Amino acid sequence: MPKALVLTNVKPSSEDTVLRELKRIEGIEEAYFSYGAYDVIAKVGSDTFDALKELITKKISALPDVISTLILMIV
């Protein structure tokens, strides 16, 4: 099962909203606030790499308050 950490920068004061939305998405295993260079960190998993890519690009990066993401594949 492919997994990744998604480090996310969000619009100011929208951390609560993004975290709440992330926790509703199927495939998000864990999600947390972060202090530092990134605002929200999520651990995601899927059955295939293609499904993982879809999850990250179509569901996480597409959230309205997400500015940018950095994806770290877990091996």
Side-chain angles (χ1 to χ4, degrees):
M1 172 182 248
K3 295 183 186 255
L5 295 175
V6 181
L7 288 67
T8 308
N9 288 111
V10 301
K11 292 179 183 173
S13 301
S14 66
E15 295 87 358
D16 287 331
T17 303
V18 171
L19 185 64
R20 201 171 26 256
E21 290 174 2
L22 284 174
K23 289 183 175 184
R24 292 184 193 147
I25 298 172
E26 186 177 339
I28 304 287
E29 297 177 2
E30 301 174 50
Y32 302 98
F33 290 116
S34 174
Y35 295 104
Y38 295 92
D39 304 307
V40 179
I41 298 174
K43 181 179 176 187
V44 301
S46 193
D47 293 333
T48 66
F49 282 104
D50 287 338
L52 185 65
K53 178 182 151 194
E54 286 284 312
L55 171 65
I56 294 168
T57 59
K58 302 255 168 121
K59 302 219 174 161
I60 298 173
S61 296
L63 290 173
D65 292 323
V66 170
I67 296 170
S68 65
T69 57
L70 174 70
I71 290 80
L72 304 172
M73 296 302 294
I74 299 172
V75 293

